[in-house]
Amino acid sequence: MSFGTRPKTNRIAQNQLATYRQMADLRVNPTRRPLHKKTVTLRRKLLDLLDTLDKPVTCRQVFYQASVHGLVNKAETGYRQVQRQLLEMRREGVTPYSTIADNTRWMRKPRTYASLADALETTATQYRASVWSELDTPKCGARKMR
């Protein structure tokens, strides 16, 4: 085989890939080997589970639900299974990124608005008048000490 030519793919592997796609209605990367039947079953059940939960959910919430329903062991290995499959399904576009909450990321950024009108409306709803600004009291340190 020379460089630049692709090897012929195995016809059985192509059939398996098509079968797995049909079985789970999941996107599978054609450059990777087909998913194992247990993985396809787990993914399908995780998707069914995600449909029943309020979004966004954390990976731990999905893990607890999966362990309660007997999909994975209630151990670190089960958690890693759920975590890995959710990550792969997000990367492959099977489930949107907004479905899984990522509470580990905390960003410092200024508050932004879609438009000037949106910013003004938000400012108007959050405006509070200062009670202390109108009083005629000396500021701290303004009194003379004797």
Side-chain angles (χ1 to χ4, degrees):
M1 178 171 75
S2 65
F3 287 36
T5 61
R6 261 181 104 161
K8 293 183 180 180
T9 55
N10 188 352
R11 186 173 286 226
I12 295 172
Q14 287 178 342
N15 290 341
Q16 282 179 339
L17 183 61
T19 304
Y20 288 140
R21 278 189 189 160
Q22 291 168 357
M23 276 177 45
D25 298 322
L26 302 174
R27 292 184 203 156
V28 179
N29 188 343
T31 61
R32 295 175 65 186
R33 66 179 178 204
L35 295 174
H36 193 271
K37 287 182 182 180
K38 287 182 181 180
T39 304
V40 172
T41 304
L42 177 62
R43 283 186 175 199
R44 178 184 278 165
K45 289 183 179 181
L46 286 176
L47 284 174
D48 292 342
L49 198 61
L50 283 172
D51 288 338
T52 63
L53 300 172
D54 292 331
K55 315 291 181 293
V57 293
T58 63
C59 185
R60 189 160 295 278
Q61 285 174 306
V62 177
F63 162 67
Y64 283 136
Q65 289 298 317
S67 64
V68 166
H69 291 290
L71 303 179
V72 295
N73 294 333
K74 191 174 179 182
E76 191 64 32
T77 56
Y79 183 71
R80 275 186 261 140
Q81 266 185 312
V82 170
Q83 196 175 30
R84 186 66 166 154
Q85 293 309 317
L86 289 175
L87 174 70
E88 291 294 324
M89 289 192 299
R90 284 171 72 179
R91 286 182 176 167
E92 293 170 4
V94 175
T95 183
Y97 275 82
S98 60
T99 304
I100 309 296
D102 189 359
N103 295 334
T104 60
R105 294 186 183 167
W106 184 66
M107 297 186 340
R108 285 192 198 183
K109 66 175 192 167
R111 182 172 294 183
T112 58
Y113 302 95
S115 66
L116 182 60
D118 186 29
L120 290 173
E121 182 180 328
T122 303
T123 303
T125 59
Q126 295 177 353
Y127 172 74
R128 300 289 179 263
S130 175
V131 179
W132 304 106
S133 63
E134 301 296 324
L135 296 176
D136 287 335
T137 57
K139 305 282 186 222
C140 291
R143 288 189 250 165
K144 292 183 180 176
M145 301 295 280
R146 294 188 193 192

